[in-house]
């Protein structure tokens, strides 16, 4: 199970839609929280269908901005509790996992209205008995080191956000990978980097999922970078099995060389010993050569996704330059 969150600034471009499909294909999340959809329910429904999800709850955009959506893989695993233009609160009941409360949160962009979000968190906290996780674009930082470039972040906003976390006994999860989730003015003297997207969890949630990991997915077609929450990242070892000889190895010159070298090295050994030694060395090479295909394919797909995003950005910048001229 994993949960993905992304402020993707709408479905206005085909590469944003394709990038989202690629993220789902690579990370296979059970739940996705989308912020600033800039869309109505019917358009988000097309996204749900395209990625093969069954469940969806959408809060339509207001005018030209906003809009949030929660999508989940299997329709019977999520139960809606409450919602507003800034949040979707659900109970998650996945088979084999501890039941917990999940709140997808979109922090108020208007700083003058930020207190309303803090009061919303307090209100939700007073109602929640289950282990609790808040995930999304908080539109706030917890310390000055969460921001680089531009003016200092207002201290009253930092203190207000910190007070909410203290009152509600919420922990800010460590973000693995790139430290920032929002960028503006990339490559210029006005380049600003901020960590706005995060996961906040209750003590009971962190005790249920002690090995949980929050990762920055590094690339994006938006100015926000997607984040991925994996409640349990323990790898379960596969059972051992005998390696079978693959006919494809016969086409590899290295395989022939390994057999020849192994056989000649055991010149005075018995036939059985030669076979055993040769098999061990070919098996070790073969395991490295053809093993972990899924992992290798996954790495290549991720690299391809990064290249696609970089190419999209380059094209977008070129278009902007042409428009200015």
């Amino acid at each position: 199970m994993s949960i993905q969150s992304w402020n993707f600034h709408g479905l206005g471009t085909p590469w944003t839609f394709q990038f989202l499909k690629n993220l789902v294909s690579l990370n296979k999340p059970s739940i996705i929280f989308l912020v600033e959809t800039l869309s109505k329910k019917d358009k988000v429904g097309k996204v749900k269908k395209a990625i093969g999800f069954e469940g969806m709850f959408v809060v339509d955009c207001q005018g030209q901005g906003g809009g949030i959506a929660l999508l989940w893989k299997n329709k019977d695993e999520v139960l809606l509790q409450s919602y507003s233009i800034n949040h979707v609160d659900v109970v998650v009941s996945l088979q084999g996992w501890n039941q917990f409360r999940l709140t997808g949160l979109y922090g108020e962009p208007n700083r003058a209205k930020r207190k309303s979000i803090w009061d919303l968190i307090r209100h939700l906290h007073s109602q929640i008995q289950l282990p609790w996780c808040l995930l999304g674009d908080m539109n706030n930082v917890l310390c000055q080191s969460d921001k680089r470039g531009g003016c200092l972040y207002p201290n009253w906003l930092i203190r207000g956000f910190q007070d909410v976390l203290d009152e509600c006994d919420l922990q800010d999860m460590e973000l693995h990978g790139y430290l920032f989730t929002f960028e503006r003015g990339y490559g210029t003297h006005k380049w600003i980097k901020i960590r706005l997207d995060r996961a906040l969890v209750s003590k009971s949630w962190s005790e249920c999922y002690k090995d949980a990991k929050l990762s920055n997915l590094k690339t994006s077609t938006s100015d926000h970078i997607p984040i991925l929450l994996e409640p349990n990242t323990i790898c379960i070892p596969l059972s051992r099995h005998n390696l079978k000889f693959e006919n494809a190895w016969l086409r590899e010159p290295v395989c022939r060389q390994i057999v020849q070298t192994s056989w000649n090295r055991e010149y005075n050994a018995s036939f059985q010993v030669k076979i055993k030694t040769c098999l061990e060395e070919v098996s070790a090479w073969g395991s490295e050569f053809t093993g972990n295909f899924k992992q290798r394919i996954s790495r290549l797909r991720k690299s391809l996704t990064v290249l696609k995003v970089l190419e999209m950005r380059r094209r977008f910048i070129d278009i902007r330059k042409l428009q200015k001229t």
Side-chain angles (χ1 to χ4, degrees):
M1 177 184 72
S2 64
I3 307 166
Q4 185 173 293
S5 174
W6 185 27
N7 182 328
F8 70 155
H9 283 311
L11 291 167
T13 58
W15 52 80
T16 297
F17 180 62
Q18 184 59 48
F19 184 68
L20 178 60
K21 289 176 65 177
N22 289 343
L23 285 178
V24 174
S25 176
L26 287 172
N27 300 305
K28 295 179 172 51
S30 302
I31 301 172
I32 301 174
F33 179 56
L34 297 176
V35 175
E36 287 198 39
T37 62
L38 309 183
S39 305
K40 302 293 184 180
K41 184 176 180 179
D42 57 343
K43 198 168 186 178
V44 180
K46 294 178 181 178
V47 175
K48 183 196 77 168
K49 183 177 180 180
I51 62 177
F53 277 32
E54 296 178 353
M56 177 185 79
F57 184 81
V58 178
V59 180
D60 288 345
C61 64
Q62 307 294 311
Q64 300 298 316
I68 57 177
L70 192 75
L71 295 82
W72 55 94
K73 186 69 175 176
N74 300 312
K75 63 179 180 179
D76 297 326
E77 293 178 338
V78 170
L79 180 63
L80 179 69
Q81 300 297 302
S82 65
Y83 69 92
S84 70
I85 60 172
N86 295 104
H87 87 288
V88 178
D89 183 49
V90 299
V91 171
V92 180
S93 305
L94 276 73
Q95 186 174 2
W97 298 84
N98 291 315
Q99 190 181 61
F100 66 94
R101 197 82 171 255
L102 174 68
T103 303
L105 187 66
Y106 176 36
E108 175 58 53
N110 187 338
R111 290 180 175 179
K113 298 179 180 179
R114 198 68 51 82
K115 185 177 182 297
S116 64
I117 297 300
W118 302 339
D119 290 340
L120 172 63
I121 295 174
R122 292 185 178 99
H123 174 69
L124 291 170
H125 174 257
S126 68
Q127 295 183 327
I128 290 172
Q129 305 299 322
L130 292 169
W132 186 29
C133 172
L134 294 91
L135 183 77
D137 174 10
M138 307 292 169
N139 261 324
N140 217 114
V141 304
L142 278 169
C143 56
Q144 292 293 350
S145 61
D146 279 346
K147 181 176 184 288
R148 288 186 187 172
C151 301
L152 290 176
Y153 207 83
N155 284 323
W156 70 271
L157 288 174
I158 294 177
R159 287 195 299 270
F161 196 27
Q162 289 175 341
D163 288 345
V164 173
L165 268 62
D166 289 341
E167 290 175 34
C168 300
D169 198 20
L170 291 169
Q171 305 170 17
D172 178 43
M173 287 192 66
E174 177 186 0
L175 182 65
H176 292 263
Y178 191 52
L179 297 178
F180 306 99
T181 63
F182 171 85
E183 292 187 340
R184 185 170 59 201
Y186 177 79
T188 71
H189 67 284
K190 296 182 179 180
W191 190 4
I192 295 175
K193 299 178 282 187
I194 315 176
R195 184 187 172 190
L196 297 177
D197 304 80
R198 58 203 332 127
L200 308 173
V201 297
S202 65
K203 184 178 180 181
S204 58
W205 194 95
S206 62
E207 288 175 349
C208 284
Y209 301 104
K210 295 180 180 179
D211 299 290
K213 180 180 179 181
L214 181 67
S215 302
N216 187 319
L217 297 181
K218 300 179 183 178
T219 58
S220 178
T221 56
S222 161
D223 50 13
H224 280 261
I225 301 173
I227 57 175
L228 182 72
L229 175 61
E230 300 169 282
N232 195 328
T233 56
I234 295 177
C235 295
I236 301 175
L238 299 176
S239 59
R240 296 179 63 88
H241 61 278
N242 293 326
L243 183 66
K244 296 181 180 179
F245 188 88
E246 300 285 347
N247 289 331
W249 297 353
L250 296 173
R251 296 192 293 268
E252 297 297 325
V254 175
C255 180
R256 183 183 295 272
Q257 184 63 44
I258 290 173
V259 172
Q260 184 175 352
T261 302
S262 174
W263 194 270
N264 292 337
R265 186 169 58 246
E266 301 290 343
Y267 180 76
N268 294 320
S270 65
F271 180 79
Q272 288 81 2
V273 171
K274 285 189 174 189
I275 289 292
K276 180 177 181 297
T277 303
C278 186
L279 179 61
E280 288 174 350
E281 295 193 13
V282 170
S283 295
W285 169 81
S287 178
E288 179 67 25
F289 179 72
T290 59
N292 299 323
F293 266 134
K294 288 185 178 180
Q295 294 180 18
R296 291 161 66 184
I297 290 172
S298 177
R299 287 197 298 268
L300 290 172
R301 282 180 174 171
K302 287 182 179 179
S303 298
L304 182 60
T305 299
V306 172
L307 291 174
K308 284 181 178 179
V309 172
L310 292 175
E311 176 63 15
M312 290 173 187
R313 280 188 175 182
R314 185 190 66 77
R315 290 181 181 179
F316 180 74
I317 292 172
D318 289 344
I319 292 171
R320 292 290 296 274
K321 287 181 178 178
L322 287 172
Q323 291 174 342
K324 288 180 179 180
T325 57

